[in-house]
Amino acid sequence: MTTGYTLQQTASQVRRDIIRMVTAAASGHPGGSLSSTDFLTYLFFKQMNVTPETWKRSGEGLDMFFLSAGHLTPVLYSVLARRGYFPASELSSFRRFGSRLQGHPSVEWGVEGINQSAGSLGQGLSVALGAALAKKLSGDDRSVYVLVGDGESEEGQIWEAAMVASHHKADNLVAMTDWNHQQIDGSIENVGGMTDLKSRWEAFGWKVIEADGHDFTDIEKAFNEASAAKGAGKPIMILFRTEMGHGVDFMAGTHKWHGKNPSQEQCDAAMKQLEETIGDF
Ligand SMILES: Cc1ncc(C[n+]2csc(CCOP(=O)(O)OP(=O)(O)O)c2C)c(N)n1
Ligand SMILES: [Mg+2]
């Protein structure tokens, strides 16, 4: 659908969508959506072996994506729409009563591209692990991708899944951490002591790859490395170093924009900072 646009242009449009959706709804989560935009754009436009035409909920024979950090719907809905899963015009219904695009994703609404209901943090890695193990059992050689927040990684269930994934050698599972160092009410280091993410994941038996989550060359290298590690006996974690609120100067680097909507004036100021690429919804 957006063929002809560069990844940077697409990501810039996704950022505009995020700001407009959250402004119009007067609620939502812009900070982590903006930090995850670049690597999710790469994942959906370049990496995953699934298209709007081939997608089905069962994921049989296809790569699958799970959003564990369920509050990051602004970025996921925008990437899905810009990739052609559903019309971009639907983005304007974000969080409205009766809309399919609720603040947290629900499979009940039948949104194309949504594989899991989410919102309660910590669960999605377990769900993705189940899908990865099911693929192994059924001889399906596709991969399962899952996005985990760094604050979300304070949840105990994340580490239960981490332990079981390496025990069962889920080497078709690629988890990605949006390592923006911020969560709802402060930095991850201060709130829960979530330091040394690399050594923690390695200690749980995972292959860990680190990358700059805002540099498409680095993002591509990381996904290629993850693909090369498939089948080598370890689940894979890509730690994407990112900045909360990336792309909008007054939102960047602070937890204050974790879950707050901009005013119309702030929205207009943000639009000026983001390149117009694909057009309005
Ligand atoms: C089980 C559970 N506890 C608490 C919350 C409330 N909550 C929503 S997002 C969030 C912070 C998550 O931090 P992070 O994963 O780093 O996301 P970011 O702030 O970077 O978007 C919290 C505590 C929740 N949704 N589920
Ligand atoms: Mg975070």
Side-chain angles (χ1 to χ4, degrees):
M1 183 194 180
T2 52
T3 321
Y5 293 102
T6 64
L7 287 167
Q8 284 87 348
Q9 286 175 318
T10 304
S12 184
Q13 182 61 54
V14 168
R15 288 193 165 90
R16 294 171 65 89
D17 290 346
I18 291 166
I19 300 294
R20 279 197 297 242
M21 289 162 77
V22 171
T23 305
S27 67
H29 297 82
S33 290
L34 293 169
S35 53
S36 325
T37 294
D38 296 315
F39 65 85
L40 282 188
T41 298
Y42 188 95
L43 182 71
F44 276 85
F45 282 77
K46 290 274 180 203
Q47 179 67 17
M48 277 200 300
N49 199 322
V50 56
T51 66
E53 293 74 34
T54 58
W55 176 81
K56 54 189 170 185
R57 267 279 305 288
S58 71
E60 272 175 279
L62 300 168
D63 286 346
M64 297 183 80
F65 173 76
F66 293 93
L67 181 69
S68 192
H71 59 290
L72 301 181
T73 42
V75 64
L76 179 58
Y77 292 153
S78 168
V79 167
L80 286 173
R82 296 300 173 183
R83 182 69 181 82
Y85 281 79
F86 54 84
S89 56
E90 201 173 336
L91 296 175
S92 61
S93 73
F94 178 59
R95 280 182 174 250
R96 300 237 181 261
F97 187 70
S99 164
R100 301 196 305 163
L101 306 187
Q102 288 302 303
H104 296 80
S106 169
V107 293
E108 269 182 57
W109 300 100
V111 181
E112 300 81 5
I114 299 290
N115 292 321
Q116 182 207 353
S117 300
S120 192
L121 295 173
Q123 300 177 343
L125 185 61
S126 302
V127 176
L129 171 59
L133 294 177
K135 283 195 181 296
K136 277 186 168 281
L137 286 170
S138 62
D140 178 342
D141 68 355
R142 296 298 185 203
S143 298
V144 176
Y145 295 87
V146 54
L147 172 55
V148 179
D150 53 0
E152 182 188 13
S153 303
E154 293 169 10
E155 297 286 349
Q157 189 175 346
I158 292 291
W159 302 101
E160 294 176 46
M163 176 179 73
V164 176
S166 61
H167 176 65
H168 288 291
K169 301 188 172 30
D171 52 15
N172 57 344
L173 177 63
V174 181
M176 301 160 282
T177 297
D178 175 30
W179 199 3
N180 62 17
H181 292 271
Q182 306 293 330
Q183 58 121 300
I184 196 167
D185 51 4
S187 80
I188 55 159
E189 289 81 4
N190 285 340
V191 174
M194 185 49 71
T195 55
D196 302 323
L197 272 179
K198 185 164 192 279
S199 49
R200 285 174 199 248
W201 285 99
E202 282 173 348
F204 273 75
W206 287 53
K207 168 158 180 77
V208 180
I209 298 163
E210 259 194 85
D212 180 338
H214 299 309
D215 175 339
F216 282 109
T217 307
D218 223 32
I219 292 169
E220 177 165 51
K221 223 173 105 211
F223 279 122
N224 287 344
E225 210 184 315
S227 299
K230 192 173 174 181
K234 288 182 173 191
I236 299 141
M237 167 57 78
I238 308 177
L239 297 173
F240 281 115
R241 292 187 304 269
T242 61
E243 176 182 56
M244 183 170 267
H246 189 77
V248 178
D249 60 5
F250 59 87
M251 291 187 169
T254 166
H255 71 275
K256 297 204 169 112
W257 289 95
H258 157 88
K260 188 171 78 162
N261 61 290
S263 65
Q264 191 56 54
E265 294 68 41
Q266 287 170 321
C267 173
D268 295 343
M271 287 302 114
K272 287 210 178 94
Q273 295 176 29
L274 297 165
E275 187 192 355
E276 178 82 66
T277 51
I278 297 167
D280 285 351
F281 55 75

